[in-house]
Amino acid sequence: MFTRITLLKTISSLLLIACILLGSFAQTSYAQEDLMEFAEKTGFPVKEAYRPKASIVIDADSGQILWEDQPDLAWSPASIAKVMTMYLAFEAMEQGKFDLDTTITATEKDVKVSQIYALSNNKIALGVDYPIRDIFSMVAVPSSNVATLMLANLVSDNDGASFIRKMNDKAAELGMNNTTYFNCSGAQIGSFEGLYQAEGIDPNGENKSTARDLAILTYNLLKKYPDVLQFTSKPVVKTMENTPYEETFETYNYSLPGAKYGYDGVDGLKTGSSPLGGFNYIATAKKGDLRLIEVILGVGSWSDQEGEYERHLAGNAILDHAFSTYEYKKLLSKGSNKIEQKEINLEQDLYGFVNKNSEPSFTLADGQLSLKSDLGQVSPNIPAKSVSYQDSETQTGNNNSDKTNAQKTSQSAETPKKEHNYLISSLLAGLGLLFLICSRLFRKRIAGVKRGSHTIATPTTRLFFTLGALSILSAVGAFLFL
């Protein structure tokens, strides 16, 4: 009898493991809905030619990933590199080196840089004092290369190479493990016609980063220097107001409310485009108490300037999908809770983002309870939100002893029931496995621009997947509880 039970239990366990592995694989493919499908539902239709090469959405408070697609693809961020320059300028202000009212006097070299036609710029007049607050607006909105260079020179005392080393050191410090900077603005040093000096730095080097790394940068920027949003939240800005040097700029971030593809809640942050990088942007968006960070990379190509607009349709669709799929709520209340068959006492309420169509699960480790999310954290340097807990008091030793004796007495009586349960579990698990295999076989294959082709779910595959999932859940119930 012992041998039969052991055999049935082994078979049941192996089938359950197989189902769970296949089920999780199918669920990953199914849960990450295809952009082209849900974009239509959100009202921001995306053409296949403008599908982003990489994208990510994270919770700006916790760093939890809510959406990702090739987040670690190395890409040229173009003018998004200016975000790191702004970060280092804010850090220098925090250290007391200057403030928003500090001025930079324009030099002859600055004037010449501003006149380079191939670079995005604004007008700079010789000898004029430009306040840092206006310089920030020039960097953030028209993506002025001369303003970026003036800001970097102020931070580094006109040492271009030193500033680039600061950029790379800060990237390493923040955990941006796949980012390398060769210039401060996104335009190669060689594009500045000899006016941008950085000894020891490849003048033709191309900045590289990833959607994940840029999300990490933006997460830290908003945490430490949220005032950056005052320079990125308006569709139209004026610099040097009430002076002969006043200029008006319209944003390239067309997702800002009031712009061409305005999305409610967007209030930043930076766009970037180049022949190598196509069209990219970082968006920050807030609804109620919730703030999300989105990074979109590689929309379209430089030869088709429509990508400048289409990136915002894709970005809006993904952002709307994240807002509508997830909700932020109280997950557990302070006090007694039962987690993983363990009685614990939480020291405070736990809040977090969860998929509206699923129940949250949790991790217990080292006296901390945290939400277990499907996609995890954007960086290991940003731990998941957690609350402290304590184990509830256990029963006395005598009670434990009595319980053990009672269990031993009833063990022989439960043996036939266990054998029956394992048999039922095996049959249900096998049936679930069959349904999941069918859900994979009947998926529809379509052409794609990123990986040649990919498959999407159909009503038939969804039915098979649902039946498979229900069978697996029933198998687990039979295995554990019947």
Side-chain angles (χ1 to χ4, degrees):
M1 183 64 70
F2 175 79
T3 303
R4 288 182 61 193
I5 291 176
T6 303
L7 179 60
L8 284 170
K9 185 175 183 179
T10 301
I11 293 172
S12 180
S13 299
L14 289 174
L15 281 171
L16 280 172
I17 291 171
C19 287
I20 290 169
L21 289 175
L22 180 58
S24 62
F25 172 75
Q27 181 63 24
T28 298
S29 176
Y30 179 73
Q32 279 286 18
E33 296 180 57
D34 186 79
L35 168 61
M36 311 307 289
E37 288 187 355
F38 68 69
E40 291 288 341
K41 301 175 185 177
T42 62
F44 300 101
V46 178
K47 302 181 182 71
E48 187 65 43
Y50 301 106
R51 183 194 290 264
K53 302 297 188 299
S55 57
I56 193 170
V57 178
I58 69 170
D59 170 25
D61 180 54
S62 68
Q64 179 184 342
I65 300 174
L66 307 183
W67 162 272
E68 63 177 13
D69 183 16
Q70 300 205 88
D72 299 309
L73 176 70
W75 200 256
S76 171
S79 285
I80 289 179
K82 294 178 172 73
V83 175
M84 178 59 87
T85 297
M86 290 192 290
Y87 185 104
L88 293 175
F90 274 106
E91 185 176 69
M93 288 193 294
E94 181 184 35
Q95 295 166 354
K97 295 182 178 178
F98 53 86
D99 58 36
L100 290 175
D101 294 320
T102 300
T103 60
I104 302 176
T105 303
T107 65
E108 185 177 347
K109 182 182 292 187
D110 295 331
V111 175
K112 290 181 178 179
V113 171
S114 73
Q115 295 171 346
I116 298 176
Y117 178 76
L119 299 178
S120 57
N121 268 317
N122 66 291
K123 298 176 183 178
I124 293 292
L126 181 64
V128 173
D129 293 330
Y130 291 88
I132 297 301
R133 66 177 70 254
D134 289 280
I135 292 290
F136 268 124
S137 293
M138 295 171 186
V139 172
V141 182
S143 201
S144 169
N145 280 273
V146 62
T148 305
L149 192 55
M150 291 168 71
L151 191 60
N153 285 336
L154 176 64
V155 174
S156 65
D157 296 324
N158 295 298
D159 188 337
S162 172
F163 188 82
I164 294 169
R165 287 192 293 269
K166 285 179 182 289
M167 296 176 76
N168 286 301
D169 289 345
K170 183 57 63 175
E173 178 187 323
L174 297 180
M176 300 168 63
N177 299 324
N178 296 299
T179 296
T180 304
Y181 292 105
F182 290 92
N183 56 74
C184 67
S185 72
Q188 294 174 332
I189 293 174
S191 302
F192 286 81
E193 300 179 358
L195 299 171
Y196 180 12
Q197 303 299 324
E199 185 177 354
I201 306 295
D202 182 1
N204 297 312
E206 187 76 24
N207 296 334
K208 292 292 182 184
S209 191
T210 66
R212 180 190 303 276
D213 282 4
L214 294 171
I216 292 171
L217 172 61
T218 308
Y219 170 90
N220 283 279
L221 178 63
L222 295 185
K223 283 287 187 182
K224 297 178 181 179
Y225 312 114
D227 286 348
V228 69
L229 295 179
Q230 70 177 286
F231 302 106
T232 67
S233 59
K234 299 174 183 177
V236 179
V237 299
K238 289 184 178 182
T239 60
M240 303 296 287
E241 286 192 78
N242 303 316
T243 74
Y245 313 103
E246 180 177 309
E247 290 184 275
T248 301
F249 303 102
E250 294 186 7
T251 184
Y252 293 115
N253 184 354
Y254 299 116
S255 290
L256 283 173
K260 185 177 179 68
Y261 295 114
Y263 182 85
D264 183 38
V266 171
D267 54 11
L269 185 79
K270 186 73 184 75
T271 63
S273 56
S274 70
L276 284 178
F279 295 91
N280 318 309
Y281 84 109
I282 299 173
T284 57
K286 185 176 182 182
K287 289 189 175 183
D289 294 329
L290 310 182
R291 178 177 291 284
L292 302 185
I293 295 168
E294 175 184 56
V295 181
I296 300 292
L297 297 179
V299 173
S301 65
W302 188 249
S303 60
D304 178 9
Q305 291 294 303
E306 282 300 307
E308 181 178 349
Y309 302 102
E310 294 288 339
R311 64 184 168 192
H312 296 280
L313 286 174
N316 289 355
I318 294 172
L319 199 59
D320 192 74
H321 179 67
F323 272 120
S324 60
T325 301
Y326 286 84
E327 61 181 337
Y328 185 80
K329 65 180 183 178
K330 183 166 73 172
L331 306 176
L332 294 171
S333 297
K334 176 182 178 181
S336 178
N337 291 270
K338 189 173 183 179
I339 306 295
E340 297 179 356
Q341 307 302 312
K342 184 177 183 179
E343 292 288 345
I344 63 171
N345 278 305
L346 295 183
E347 295 185 358
Q348 63 189 62
D349 297 338
L350 176 67
Y351 290 81
F353 267 104
V354 291
N355 192 304
K356 293 179 181 179
N357 299 317
S358 67
E359 291 298 320
S361 57
F362 307 95
T363 299
L364 299 175
D366 301 323
Q368 296 290 314
L369 179 144
S370 57
L371 174 67
K372 186 187 298 181
S373 65
D374 294 336
L375 299 176
Q377 294 294 107
V378 70
S379 167
N381 294 351
I382 306 172
K385 290 286 187 180
S386 63
V387 295
S388 299
Y389 75 88
Q390 293 181 343
D391 293 337
S392 298
E393 292 184 359
T394 59
Q395 292 178 312
T396 64
N398 289 337
N399 288 341
N400 285 337
S401 178
D402 292 342
K403 184 177 179 181
T404 300
N405 290 334
Q407 289 174 340
K408 289 181 179 179
T409 302
S410 62
Q411 184 174 7
S412 60
E414 293 180 354
T415 297
K417 182 179 179 181
K418 288 183 178 180
E419 180 179 354
H420 182 256
N421 291 349
Y422 294 143
L423 180 59
I424 294 175
S425 176
S426 299
L427 292 174
L428 289 171
L431 184 62
L433 182 61
L434 179 61
F435 281 132
L436 290 175
I437 290 173
C438 289
S439 75
R440 300 300 301 171
L441 292 177
F442 287 91
R443 287 175 70 85
K444 181 181 178 182
R445 181 166 293 277
I446 63 173
V449 299
K450 292 192 294 183
R451 294 179 287 275
S453 66
H454 61 281
T455 59
I456 62 172
T458 65
T460 302
T461 63
R462 290 170 181 162
L463 175 61
F464 278 126
F465 181 83
T466 301
L467 292 174
L470 291 174
S471 297
I472 292 170
L473 290 174
S474 299
V476 172
F479 186 80
L480 296 176
F481 304 115
L482 290 179

